[in-house]
């Protein structure tokens, strides 16, 4: 392969700004280049790691002895235009925001509530990204890619992707590398106001379009989240815990204000931000250069120069403090790598 580089530092390739050197690194802009890179890994008995925009990772500062493959496969296309919906495909390396702009430019809608999530289209299917009452699983039509075990193409329909809360078949099966995702989008604009602050933003207004939703989401997010171009972060570090109805009832006896959201039969999702702020009393908690973002406690911020262990240890403190108070083991949304 021609464009393989050696000893590439990874800290500028992820939004937390941590990471050591990758022994090998390459960018792939097509399926064929991806296959070549995977064959290089196999022939040289190297581990590989796939990276998009690096916005959901906490990279170890140790060097990675294998090859990091960055997916930059581009292209956006309307594949099907039916009476009610359209199917739009996008290369896995497209930024998710660019896909949303393409959607709005073509008078389509559906994924606008996911505006301003700084990842790639490929990772949006891995992670089943979600925000403001929308998740990619509700729009994904087809996920295509290459199976690193045999270099053959795969193509999964939505119901084969095993989507869950920030979960999918791709998260557990690292051999499945996504090259293209197709989304089923609406021809007629139907705003998703299931999130109260968005509904409030438009209260009393009648005529607005998908671009105004995008603008509103951008504004709401700017008020609540750190700017990842300025501060090291990977957005929400932890998942909101999902517990049983029985566990929730017990917690309610101790913490009568604890909010709940239904999470399927017999399960309840509880807002971790509330637990951290109001039960653990850790709002804005900080150790050295690492802290909880003042306006959103699920978000951990690298205020400057913190390394992997400082962030990882800080996250462990939060995990322990939450367990001490509510006896629930919280899970990370961000992936610890290497
Ligand atoms: C400020 C900020 C706000 C955020 N807000 C949200 C939010 O509201 N909702 C939300 O859900 N997330 C949010 N995130 C998290 C993150 O942006 C998403 O998880 C995003 O989808 C990650 O995309 P990425 O391209 O950066 O993936 P990466 O971080 O590069 O990779 C994530 C995982 O996907 C794998 N992967 C990447 N591309 C591929 C591929 N083509 N094929 C197979 N595997 C692949 C990687 O190996 C890794 O395991 C936020 C992050 C930040 C920094």
């Amino acid at each position: 392969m021609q464009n393989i580089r050696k000893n590439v530092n990874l800290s500028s390739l992820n939004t937390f700004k941590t990471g050591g050197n990758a022994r090998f690194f390459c960018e792939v802009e097509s399926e064929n280049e991806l296959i070549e890179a995977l064959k290089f890994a196999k022939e040289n008995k190297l581990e590989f790691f796939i990276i998009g925009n690096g916005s959901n990772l906490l990279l170890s500062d140790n060097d990675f002895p294998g090859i990091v493959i960055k997916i930059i496969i581009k292209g956006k296309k309307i594949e099907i235009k039916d009476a009610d919906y359209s199917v739009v495909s996008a290369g896995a390396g497209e930024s998710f925001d660019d896909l949303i702009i393409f959607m709005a430019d073509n008078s389509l809608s559906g994924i606008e509530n996911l505006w301003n999530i700084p990842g790639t289209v490929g990772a949006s299917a891995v992670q089943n990204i979600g925000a403001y009452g929308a998740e990619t699983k509700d729009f994904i039509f087809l996920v295509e890619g290459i199976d690193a075990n045999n270099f053959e193409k795969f193509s999964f329909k939505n119901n084969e992707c095993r989507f869950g809360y920030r979960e999918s078949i791709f998260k557990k099966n690292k051999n499945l590398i996504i090259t293209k995702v197709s989304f089923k989008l609406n021809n007629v604009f139907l705003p998703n106001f299931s999130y109260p602050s968005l509904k409030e933003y438009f209260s009393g207004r009648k005529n607005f379009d998908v671009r105004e939703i995008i603008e509103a989401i951008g504004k709401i997010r700017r008020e609540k989240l750190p700017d990842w171009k300025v501060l090291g972060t990977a957005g929400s570090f932890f998942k909101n815990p999902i517990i049983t109805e029985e566990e929730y009832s017990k917690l309610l006896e101790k913490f009568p204000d604890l909010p709940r959201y239904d999470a399927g039969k017999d399960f309840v999702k509880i807002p971790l931000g509330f637990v951290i702020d109001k039960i653990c009393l850790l709002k804005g908690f900080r150790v050295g250069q690492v802290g909880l973002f003042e306006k959103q406690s699920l978000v951990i911020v690298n205020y400057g120069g913190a390394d992997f262990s400082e962030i990882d240890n800080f996250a462990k403190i939060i995990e322990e403090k939450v367990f001490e108070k509510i006896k629930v083991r919280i899970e990370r949304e961000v992936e610890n790598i290497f």
Side-chain angles (χ1 to χ4, degrees):
M1 250 200 104
Q2 281 180 354
N3 70 349
I4 294 185
R5 287 153 55 200
K6 278 189 176 170
N7 298 323
V8 171
N9 187 265
L10 298 171
S11 61
S12 62
L13 293 166
N14 71 93
T15 57
F16 248 132
K17 311 281 179 233
T18 63
N21 288 350
R23 182 168 168 217
F24 295 101
F25 172 82
C26 71
E27 293 184 333
V28 295
E29 18 184 351
S30 67
E31 231 170 55
N32 283 344
E33 283 188 9
L34 172 62
I35 293 171
E36 260 186 74
L38 293 170
K39 285 188 172 165
F40 174 86
K42 193 169 187 183
E43 278 155 20
N44 293 286
K45 297 191 175 51
L46 296 169
E47 242 186 280
F48 68 84
F49 181 72
I50 302 293
I51 196 166
N53 196 36
S55 64
N56 200 44
L57 306 176
L58 177 57
L59 294 190
S60 154
D61 293 315
N62 295 333
D63 291 342
F64 178 60
I67 177 164
V68 171
I69 304 171
K70 182 172 163 78
I71 306 285
I72 56 165
I73 301 170
K74 298 280 168 145
K76 301 181 281 298
K77 191 175 163 204
I78 297 181
E79 303 277 357
I80 302 173
K81 187 121 197 162
D82 217 315
D84 307 321
Y85 67 86
S86 299
V87 173
V88 171
S89 69
E94 287 283 353
S95 95
F96 203 81
D97 272 0
D98 284 351
L99 172 65
I100 293 178
I101 297 287
F102 181 82
M103 172 193 77
D105 285 349
N106 285 284
S107 308
L108 302 171
S109 63
I111 52 174
E112 58 276 6
N113 288 22
L114 301 171
W115 176 248
N116 229 201
I117 297 177
T120 53
V121 164
S124 79
V126 176
Q127 188 67 4
N128 179 25
I129 54 169
Y132 301 95
E135 281 183 310
T136 37
K137 75 169 173 50
D138 301 329
F139 300 94
I140 286 176
F141 183 69
L142 202 66
V143 180
E144 294 166 76
I146 299 294
D147 184 338
N149 289 343
N150 52 22
F151 312 120
E152 282 181 9
K153 288 187 188 193
F154 68 81
S155 172
F156 288 160
K157 294 192 191 103
N158 183 304
N159 62 0
E160 294 170 305
C161 295
R162 296 193 215 144
F163 288 124
Y165 172 43
R166 305 292 172 273
E167 274 300 341
S168 71
I169 192 171
F170 312 104
K171 215 163 165 179
K172 298 204 175 80
N173 296 277
K174 297 293 187 189
N175 55 308
L176 299 174
I177 302 163
I178 300 168
T179 54
K180 187 164 144 187
V181 186
S182 304
F183 297 83
K184 194 171 166 181
L185 302 173
N186 306 321
N187 293 345
V188 178
F189 172 52
L190 265 179
N192 172 353
F193 281 155
S194 55
Y195 198 82
S197 65
L198 191 60
K199 191 172 181 185
E200 215 173 277
Y201 193 96
F202 284 92
S203 72
R205 293 204 34 210
K206 277 199 182 127
N207 295 319
F208 49 86
D209 63 11
V210 70
R211 285 182 190 282
E212 285 167 272
I213 300 276
I214 292 171
E215 227 172 83
I217 297 270
K219 194 160 178 248
I220 296 170
R221 287 180 72 98
R222 275 194 297 280
E223 280 162 13
K224 283 194 176 166
L225 292 166
D227 180 352
W228 62 275
K229 290 184 178 142
V230 178
L231 288 173
T233 181
S236 295
F237 197 94
F238 304 105
K239 292 183 184 181
N240 288 307
I242 295 180
I243 58 176
T244 61
E245 287 279 1
E246 202 184 329
E247 286 167 322
Y248 177 75
S249 303
K250 278 194 193 139
L251 283 176
L252 210 56
E253 286 168 20
K254 263 175 110 178
F255 311 109
D257 298 334
L258 180 64
R260 60 167 288 159
Y261 304 98
D262 291 340
K265 196 174 177 295
D266 300 331
F267 289 95
V268 176
K269 191 193 273 185
I270 54 172
L272 185 61
F274 180 95
V275 174
I276 292 175
D277 291 353
K278 304 273 178 2
I279 297 179
C280 303
L281 305 176
L282 287 173
K283 197 174 172 59
F285 177 64
R286 189 167 164 166
V287 178
Q289 290 307 309
V290 188
L292 297 175
F293 191 58
E294 193 72 40
K295 295 177 197 159
Q296 169 54 277
S297 290
L298 254 55
V299 173
I300 291 182
V301 174
N302 179 353
Y303 284 102
D307 62 14
F308 166 84
S309 341
E310 284 169 86
I311 300 170
D312 189 53
N313 288 337
F314 180 84
K316 284 180 184 149
I317 296 176
I318 304 297
E319 286 158 359
E320 281 313 309
K321 294 215 183 242
V322 169
F323 184 74
E324 253 172 50
K325 289 286 181 190
I326 66 166
K327 299 287 174 272
V328 172
R329 291 268 172 224
I330 53 173
E331 277 180 51
R332 296 184 181 189
E333 185 168 321
V334 167
E335 277 180 74
N336 269 33
I337 302 294
F338 315 141

